[in-house]
């Protein structure tokens, strides 16, 4: 064996998986079982007391899911990961470890519409208060810090406009405030950006999008960077204080640089319950094997489509960070040199009505609320994903009435351009 460290494409195919020890099956089997037999009573007791690692019950862990967790942790450069039922479940489980009722977290205002809803409404009922900041104005994050701030949450490439976030600058603010930086890396995937290399402490994903990649399985994942000291400030009792449900052990003291992933599993997933089906884990694992190939094609197609739209007379503007003229192009060159992703927006001179009409005329593009599929997708955010926001908030989050969002697939780019050409005509 050479002592070369495996590259990204090799990890995408192999990390976390080996031939099944019982049957020799080469693909990771779907361990479609709810529970696992203990060797004996002592083994059972040590599993329940967190003195040994092993399988108990699929709500807490499953071998198919474990292969997925190890693979994504390797691709992101983290110490450990936890797979859950959806991207939104990942966000709840992460924040449950960090916030007590009455606490605050700072979030970038440019986010997936569902996250804006979750943070504003659902989390309020838990007593978790979101404070919004502007990802284009780093000082707005600094100004938002208070003694109750427990975390900062951003997207690496932000929905819906595909803008690039200056992760390192916001990480500096988080370090100074003594709170972890959580990065939602869904739109970039680790092929384009690895947030941990830029100072993220926790990475979350909707696996539903580019990682799974085929529009067929929901999933979410949490990656622990292993970088944050949970005991330094006393602000994170879930990790630093004795846990009564586990004979008084302290998670950081016991599990060191993967304590956060353990907390998410044994306090979050165990008690809240959003487990990922092993079948979905299998589908997503298979999708990840081709992530580098797909992601490059997504980006190359997106750039060609953005260039076509920028030159079209019915289009007033295109927001794609991969265009040299775009205001995020400098950040794209720094953070995502292989490509600026495949989700972006453009504006039509005809406003709201033209946006609605375009969506109905497209044939190859599917009109639906998703991104990161092999198929090209289109949506008019103002009338759908962002319709709950008032006009000012729509514009601030990049979803004004004239804006159309595309998620470019891996078809032939000439066919995508031809479809847009006929619909714009
Ligand atoms: C889709 C999405 C989510 C939510 O993920 P689900 O799997 O749908 O729960 C979160 N963040 C981003 C950026 C997304 O695109």
């Amino acid at each position: 064996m050479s002592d070369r460290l495996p590259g990204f494409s090799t990890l995408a195919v192999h990390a976390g998986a080996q031939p099944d020890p019982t049957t020799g099956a080469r693909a990771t089997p779907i361990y479609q079982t709810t529970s696992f037999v203990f060797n004996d009573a002592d083994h059972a007791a040590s599993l329940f007391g967190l003195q040994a690692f092993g399988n108990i019950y699929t709500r807490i862990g499953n071998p198919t899911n474990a292969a997925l967790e190890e693979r994504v942790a390797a691709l992101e450069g983290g110490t450990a990961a936890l797979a859950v039922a959806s991207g939104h479940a990942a966000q709840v489980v992460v924040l449950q470890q960090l916030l007590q009722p009455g606490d605050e977290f700072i979030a970038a205002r440019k986010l997936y519409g569902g996250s804006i809803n979750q943070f504003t409404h659902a989390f309020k009922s838990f007593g978790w208060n979101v404070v919004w900041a502007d990802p284009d104005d780093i000082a707005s994050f600094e100004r938002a810090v208070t003694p109750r701030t427990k975390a900062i949450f951003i997207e690496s490439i932000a929905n819906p406009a595909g803008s690039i976030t200056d992760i390192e600058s916001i990480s500096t603010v988080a370090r100074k405030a003594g709170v972890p930086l959580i990065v939602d890396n869904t739109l970039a995937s680790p092929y384009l950006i690895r947030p941990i290399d830029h100072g993220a402490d926790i990475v979350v994903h909707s696996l539903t999008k580019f990682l799974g990649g085929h529009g067929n399985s929901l999933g979410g994942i949490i990656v622990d960077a292993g970088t944050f000291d949970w005991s330094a400030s006393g602000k994170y009792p879930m990790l630093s204080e004795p846990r009564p449900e586990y004979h008084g052990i302290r998670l950081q003291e016991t599990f060191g640089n993967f304590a956060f992933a353990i907390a998410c599993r044994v306090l979050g997933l165990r008690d809240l319950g959003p487990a990922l089906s092993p079948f979905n884990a299998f589908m997503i694992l298979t999708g990840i094997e081709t992530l580098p190939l797909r992601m490059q094609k997504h980006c190359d197609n997106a750039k060609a489509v953005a260039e076509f739209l920028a030159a079209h007379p019915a289009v007033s503007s295109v927001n794609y960070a991969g265009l040299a003229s775009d205001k995020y192009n400098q950040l794209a060159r720094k953070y995502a040199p292989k490509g600026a992703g495949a989700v972006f927006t453009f504006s039509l001179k005809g406003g709201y009505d033209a946006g609605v009409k375009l969506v109905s005329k497209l044939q190859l593009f599917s009109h639906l609320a998703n991104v990161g599929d092999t198929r090209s997708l289109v949506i008019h955010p103002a009338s759908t994903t962002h319709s709950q926001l008032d006009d000012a908030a729509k514009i601030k989050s990049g979803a004004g009435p004239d804006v159309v969002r595309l998620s470019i697939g891996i078809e032939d780019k000439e066919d995508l351009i031809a479809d847009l050409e006929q619909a714009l005509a």
Side-chain angles (χ1 to χ4, degrees):
M1 284 278 287
S2 84
D3 51 10
R4 214 187 112 73
L5 286 175
F8 190 91
S9 295
T10 304
L11 291 173
V13 174
H14 290 284
Q18 48 273 182
D20 183 59
T22 321
T23 62
R26 190 62 189 88
T28 300
I30 304 172
Y31 288 95
Q32 191 69 28
T33 180
T34 54
S35 31
F36 301 84
V37 176
F38 306 121
N39 301 340
D40 53 40
D42 286 346
H43 178 226
S46 65
L47 289 175
F48 273 89
L50 294 183
Q51 282 110 19
F53 289 108
N55 298 304
I56 299 176
Y57 187 65
T58 285
R59 171 154 41 75
I60 307 168
N62 174 285
T64 312
N65 299 20
L68 172 64
E69 287 158 355
E70 205 176 307
R71 185 165 300 173
V72 177
L75 294 176
E76 286 287 6
T79 53
L82 176 71
V84 292
S86 69
H88 269 8
Q91 295 168 188
V92 179
V93 168
V94 162
L95 290 174
Q96 190 221 3
Q97 310 319 311
L98 304 178
L99 273 71
Q100 309 290 322
D103 283 344
E104 296 171 2
F105 69 107
I106 303 169
R109 180 177 282 129
K110 284 187 185 154
L111 288 187
Y112 175 69
S115 300
I116 295 177
N117 265 339
Q118 187 191 44
F119 293 0
T120 307
H121 303 294
F123 286 179
K124 196 193 267 172
S125 69
F126 302 165
W128 304 345
N129 300 311
V130 61
V131 180
W132 300 108
D134 178 356
D136 298 332
D137 173 12
I138 304 300
S140 72
F141 284 83
E142 255 165 314
R143 286 195 302 273
V145 174
T146 76
R148 299 226 69 153
T149 305
K150 294 293 177 71
I152 298 180
F153 187 102
I154 60 175
E155 290 179 0
S156 53
I157 298 183
N159 221 318
S163 46
I164 311 284
T165 306
D166 187 353
I167 304 170
E168 287 174 14
S169 298
I170 298 173
S171 149
T172 304
V173 176
R175 290 264 141 84
K176 238 205 268 169
V179 303
L181 176 64
I182 307 162
V183 179
D184 180 340
N185 199 32
T186 299
L187 290 198
S189 89
Y191 175 73
L192 296 179
I193 301 178
R194 299 206 325 162
I196 292 171
D197 295 345
H198 302 290
D201 300 295
I202 297 161
V203 175
V204 292
H205 277 279
S206 170
L207 297 170
T208 317
K209 315 297 169 52
F210 291 100
L211 281 168
H214 295 71
N216 58 23
S217 307
L218 258 86
I221 202 157
I222 299 157
V223 183
D224 184 351
T227 43
F228 197 83
D229 183 349
W230 303 105
S231 305
S233 65
K235 279 188 188 179
Y236 304 100
M238 297 279 272
L239 289 122
S240 64
E241 296 309 306
R243 293 308 311 177
E245 59 275 73
Y246 292 110
H247 309 298
I249 67 167
R250 297 168 198 263
L251 293 180
Q252 176 161 34
E253 190 181 279
T254 308
F255 297 106
N257 70 358
F258 59 100
F260 188 75
I262 295 279
C264 288
R265 184 185 303 280
V266 305
L267 303 177
L269 185 56
R270 189 199 64 164
D271 292 351
L272 299 177
L276 180 68
S277 149
F279 181 82
N280 280 23
F282 171 83
M283 296 298 281
I284 295 162
L285 264 174
T286 306
I288 291 174
E289 293 177 10
T290 55
L291 175 72
L293 301 170
R294 286 186 289 106
M295 219 51 217
Q296 195 59 57
K297 177 97 175 182
H298 278 296
C299 290
D300 296 347
N301 279 357
K303 183 148 192 273
V305 170
E307 281 165 356
F308 161 78
L309 288 170
H312 197 283
V315 171
S316 53
S317 65
V318 177
N319 298 301
Y320 183 60
L323 296 177
S325 57
D326 193 83
K327 78 184 242 210
Y328 297 101
N329 191 248
Q330 276 303 107
L331 287 171
R333 283 170 196 271
K334 170 174 176 169
Y335 287 102
K338 293 202 278 284
V343 176
F344 65 94
T345 59
F346 64 101
S347 298
L348 287 162
K349 288 183 183 156
Y352 187 96
D353 294 338
V356 172
K357 196 159 168 207
L358 175 84
V359 163
S360 72
K361 294 278 180 200
L362 284 166
Q363 289 165 355
L364 192 53
F365 282 78
S366 301
H367 178 207
L368 53 74
N370 190 24
V371 296
D373 193 323
T374 49
R375 290 154 278 256
S376 289
L377 315 174
V378 62
I379 201 160
H380 179 234
S383 60
T384 56
T385 52
H386 289 64
S387 62
Q388 77 284 357
L389 303 179
D390 63 36
D391 282 351
K394 275 182 187 143
I395 291 166
K396 269 190 185 159
S397 65
D402 54 342
V403 171
V404 174
R405 184 186 76 186
L406 301 178
S407 173
I408 301 297
I410 59 172
E411 303 96 333
D412 289 308
K413 61 178 186 282
E414 294 79 7
D415 293 327
L416 299 175
I417 289 171
D419 192 30
L420 283 161
E421 196 153 37
Q422 66 77 24
L424 285 166

